Amino acid sequence: MLSDIEIAESIPMRDVRDVAKQLGLREDDLELYGKYKAKICAPCDQRKAKLILVTAINPTASGEGKTTVSIGLADGLKQIGKNVCLALREPSLGPVFGIKGGAAGGGYAQVVPMADINLHFTGDLHAITAANNLLCAMIDNHIFRGNELDIVPETISFRRCMDMNERSLINITIGQKGKGVEREEHFEITAASEIMAILCLSTSLKNLKERLGNIIVGQNSKGEYVYARELRCVGAMATLLKDALKPNLVQTLEGTPAIIHGGPFANIAHGCNSILATYTAMSLSDYTVTEAGFGADLGAEKFLDTKCRIAGIEPSAVVIVATVKALKLHGGADKTTLSEENVEALEKGLPNLLKHVETMRDVFHKPVVVAMNHFATDTQAEIDTVMAAVQSAGAKAVFTDVFLKGGEGGKELAEAVVEACELPSKLTYSYDLSDGIKEKITAVATKIYGADGVTFTQEAAEKIAAIEERGYKNLPVIIAKTQYSLSDQKDLVGRPEHFNITVRDVILKGGAGFVVACTGTLMLMPGLSKHPAAELIDIDDNGTISGLS
C-alpha cells in the first residue's frame, strides 16, 4: 500500500480553474495561488445547498477517520450525480509535525495538493499569527510608552501565539533587563487563538474589524475591560487578515471541489471551518459536506449551538463516524488485540456511539447516519452487532471503504445521506441564549455529555457573575474539556454514568463572542512527543517530500 503522500502525488490534479467551473465560478472570481490553489473572491451568500455535518464518536488511539470519510462522502455524492462541495478546516503545523499528522484525509480519500494544504497552504495561519502578535506588541508597547489606558500588566489576558507545538513557550517572562515591561507571558498555538476563532466567525470584512475591536486585552486599575480598539491597531490587524478572510479552493483526488478555510480547535473554540467558507460552499452546490472537530460532544455541539446560531444555518443531516476498533477500545479492549474478533468489548463500547446518536436525534432533532469506517479485520459478527445496535437506536449504519476505494467506496453512504437529507427536521438548540451562563453550561453537560450536574469552583462562579454583570450574559458557551471522554476525565471512556463536570475557570472572548468554560487541564500550547512526526518527514534533491501523512 502506498503512503498517503505517494497516493496524493501519483494522481494528476486538475487545474483549479476547471474545478471552479464545476461550481459556476469564472476565473475572474478567483485569486490564483499557482495552478492548483485559489482564493474565492466572489461574494456568495445564497445558501441553497443541503448541509451535511460529519462528526464522530469520542476519539481513540485507533483513529476514526472523520476527515477521510468526509472527503469520501463528497466523492461518493459526486459519483451518484450530485452537485457537491466540501467545506473543511485547514491543518495546523503543530499537529502536522507532532503526533496527529496532517488533516487532508487518507488513502484514496484526500484533498490535494496534500503537501501544500498541510504546510503553508495560502498563508492563512501565518497571517493570523502575525495579526495576533501585532496586537500583543501594541499592548506591551503601549504600557512601555506611558500606559495611557492604565492597563494592569497582571490582568493581560491576550496571549502571543505560533503555529507550532512548543512547550518551552507555555510559561515565559518577557521584557527582561529593561527591554520593556517585565511580566509573565504565555504562548498558545495559533489554532487555539482568539484571532482564529474571530476569522472563522466573521461574515464580512466589516464584521471582522468589529470583532477584532471587541477583543478584551486586559483590565485597568478600576477593573474595567480594555479593548483592542482602544489601542488603535484594528485597521492594521484587519489589513494583515484581508486575504486570509477569503476561502481557499482546492480539490479531492477525484476532482470534487473542496473549500478549506480556518481551523479553530474544538476544545477551546468552536472547532469548525469559517462561516464564509460554509456560505460559499452552500451557495455554489446542492450538497455541502462539512465537519466539526473531535467527537460530537465537542465539535458537533459547538457547530450546532454556536456556529449555526451565528451563521443562520442548519444541517439537513448529521453523519457520525466510528470504527469497530475504536468502539472496542471504548469497551475496554486491549490495544494489542484490536484486530481480533471481540464482540463483548464491542457491545460494551457501543453505548458511546449510541449516546452521540441520541444527542443528535433527541436534543438537536436532526436525522442521523452512522458511517462505519471499514477495516479488513472487521468480522461479520462485529458488523452485524453494530448494524443491529444502530438500527435499534433509530438510525442507519453504513460500512464504508473510502480509504481504499475513494468515491466508489462512499456511494452507499452517499445514498443513505441523501435519503436522510429529505427527512423533515428543524434544528433545536441545547440551551437558549437568554439563559444564565451557569444554566447554559449545565444544559450542555447534562443533555450532551450525560452528566448528573456541574460543579463550579469559587473562582469560576465569581467570574461568571462579573461577566453577566458587565452585560455578556447572552453569549453562547464553549466548554473546554478532554476530547477522549464524554466526561471531563479522559480515562472515563465508553458512556460513563453518574459523573459531574467541574468548571474551574471561565474566560470571556469578547471578539469571538463566546464564553469559554474550562474543565480539567486546558492545553493551549501542545508539546512534541518523544518521537514526533517531524522525524519522519524529508525532502530529496528533486523536491519530492516523504513521510508526510
Side-chain angles (χ1 to χ4, degrees), residues 336-357:
T336 62
T337 61
L338 285 183
S339 296
E340 301 173 9
E341 182 175 280
N342 191 340
V343 175
E344 181 181 359
L346 177 61
E347 290 175 337
K348 290 180 179 178
L350 271 166
N352 183 272
L353 168 61
L354 300 182
K355 169 56 180 166
H356 294 305
V357 171

Side-chain angles (χ1 to χ4, degrees), residues 261-545:
H261 192 226
F265 281 173
N267 49 3
I268 188 61
H270 58 294
C272 30
N273 68 326
S274 74
I275 286 177
L276 284 176
T278 306
Y279 280 174
T280 302
M282 292 182 70
S283 299
L284 301 174
S285 64
D286 295 325
Y287 290 87
T288 293
V289 178
T290 192
E291 67 170 352
F294 296 134
D297 55 322
L298 286 176
E301 182 275 319
K302 294 171 175 65
F303 181 95
L304 297 164
D305 274 330
T306 300
K307 179 176 177 176
C308 285
R309 222 189 293 247
I310 293 171
I313 57 176
E314 65 176 275
S316 296
V318 176
V319 176
I320 300 176
V321 179
T323 68
V324 167
K325 287 184 177 181
L327 290 172
K328 288 193 287 192
L329 282 175
H330 274 290
D334 188 299
K335 286 188 285 188
T336 62
T337 61
L338 285 183
S339 296
E340 301 173 9
E341 182 175 280
N342 191 340
V343 175
E344 181 181 359
L346 177 61
E347 290 175 337
K348 290 180 179 178
L350 271 166
N352 183 272
L353 168 61
L354 300 182
K355 169 56 180 166
H356 294 305
V357 171
E358 292 170 16
T359 296
M360 295 301 113
R361 182 194 65 202
D362 299 338
V363 177
F364 297 109
H365 295 107
K366 284 294 159 184
V368 178
V369 176
V370 172
M372 295 298 298
N373 204 355
H374 182 57
F375 284 76
T377 54
D378 299 343
T379 69
Q380 192 60 49
E382 291 171 334
I383 292 171
D384 292 343
T385 298
V386 171
M387 299 291 279
V390 172
Q391 185 175 0
S392 68
K396 181 176 182 177
V398 176
F399 275 77
T400 186
D401 199 2
V402 298
F403 185 89
L404 291 177
K405 299 180 180 179
E408 182 67 28
K411 287 169 67 174
E412 184 182 353
L413 175 62
E415 289 165 352
V417 168
V418 168
E419 186 178 327
C421 284
E422 297 304 318
L423 298 173
S425 67
K426 179 65 178 174
L427 175 63
T428 58
Y429 304 112
S430 69
Y431 56 80
D432 294 326
L433 287 180
S434 59
D435 294 341
I437 293 173
K438 281 187 176 181
E439 287 71 29
K440 293 174 201 173
I441 295 168
T442 301
V444 173
T446 54
K447 295 179 182 179
I448 310 302
Y449 310 156
D452 292 336
V454 179
T455 301
F456 296 89
T457 65
Q458 183 176 344
E459 180 183 5
E462 290 174 354
K463 286 188 176 182
I464 288 172
I467 290 169
E468 292 186 339
E469 185 179 338
R470 298 183 190 203
Y472 290 95
K473 171 188 171 184
N474 292 332
L475 295 179
V477 297
I478 298 291
I479 300 183
K481 74 170 186 69
T482 177
Q483 64 268 34
Y484 299 111
S485 172
L486 284 162
S487 74
D488 56 359
Q489 303 171 57
K490 67 177 184 178
D491 294 330
L492 291 180
V493 296
R495 183 175 183 172
E497 297 179 344
H498 306 303
F499 64 92
N500 270 36
I501 297 290
T502 298
V503 175
R504 60 172 182 80
D505 194 12
V506 176
I507 304 169
L508 172 60
K509 299 289 187 179
F514 51 65
V515 176
V516 180
C518 303
T519 73
T521 302
L522 193 59
M523 181 60 73
L524 299 179
M525 171 54 82
L528 292 172
S529 63
K530 186 174 182 179
H531 296 290
E535 294 182 356
L536 305 175
I537 298 172
D538 200 0
I539 185 168
D540 66 18
D541 295 342
N542 297 316
T544 301
I545 297 171

Side-chain angles (χ1 to χ4, degrees), residues 59-300:
T60 70
S62 172
E64 288 65 59
K66 177 158 48 66
T67 302
T68 300
V69 170
S70 298
I71 297 166
L73 170 58
D75 284 337
L77 286 164
K78 184 181 178 184
Q79 291 243 5
I80 64 172
K82 303 301 181 183
N83 175 23
V84 59
C85 185
L86 265 170
L88 301 177
R89 296 172 295 160
E90 294 184 55
S92 165
L93 285 179
V96 167
F97 291 113
I99 296 177
K100 185 176 178 293
Y108 289 88
Q110 294 188 56
V111 282
V112 287
M114 181 267 221
D116 289 8
I117 292 167
N118 276 320
L119 299 176
H120 302 290
F121 202 17
T122 57
D124 293 346
L125 270 75
H126 299 315
I128 292 167
T129 303
N132 184 101
N133 293 339
L134 170 61
L135 175 54
C136 291
M138 294 288 280
I139 294 168
D140 285 302
N141 183 64
H142 179 87
I143 296 172
F144 181 76
R145 298 294 183 182
N147 201 5
E148 180 184 342
L149 295 173
D150 190 26
I151 301 171
V152 178
E154 292 75 19
T155 69
I156 295 173
S157 54
F158 193 82
R159 300 176 168 187
R160 286 169 168 80
C161 74
M162 64 183 291
D163 188 28
M164 194 63 64
N165 292 5
E166 176 54 288
R167 69 171 53 81
S168 62
L169 295 178
I170 294 174
N171 298 301
I172 63 171
T173 301
I174 62 173
Q176 299 178 60
K177 298 182 179 181
K179 304 299 183 182
V181 176
E182 186 170 327
R183 69 178 181 88
E184 188 176 303
E185 176 62 298
H186 313 274
F187 268 74
E188 56 195 26
I189 194 166
T190 299
S193 69
E194 186 172 3
I195 303 294
M196 173 64 84
I198 286 171
L199 182 90
C200 291
L201 291 172
S202 296
T203 55
S204 64
L205 183 58
K206 179 180 178 181
N207 184 237
L208 172 71
K209 293 179 71 174
E210 180 182 355
R211 289 179 178 274
L212 291 173
N214 288 336
I215 294 172
I216 297 166
V217 301
Q219 299 180 35
N220 61 24
S221 60
K222 296 179 181 179
E224 300 166 332
Y225 291 146
V226 179
Y227 295 91
R229 58 178 175 269
E230 298 179 80
L231 292 162
R232 298 188 292 276
C233 61
V234 169
M237 294 169 68
T239 301
L240 284 169
L241 294 168
K242 68 178 181 65
D243 292 322
L245 189 62
K246 301 168 186 174
N248 307 298
L249 178 64
V250 288
Q251 61 191 289
T252 71
L253 288 174
E254 298 185 11
T256 303
I259 297 175
I260 300 181
H261 192 226
F265 281 173
N267 49 3
I268 188 61
H270 58 294
C272 30
N273 68 326
S274 74
I275 286 177
L276 284 176
T278 306
Y279 280 174
T280 302
M282 292 182 70
S283 299
L284 301 174
S285 64
D286 295 325
Y287 290 87
T288 293
V289 178
T290 192
E291 67 170 352
F294 296 134
D297 55 322
L298 286 176

Side-chain angles (χ1 to χ4, degrees), residues 20 24-31 38-44:
L25 292 170
R26 305 163 301 164
E27 186 170 346
D28 288 346
D29 297 323
L30 307 175
E31 293 177 2
K39 288 280 186 181
I40 299 174
C41 52
C44 300

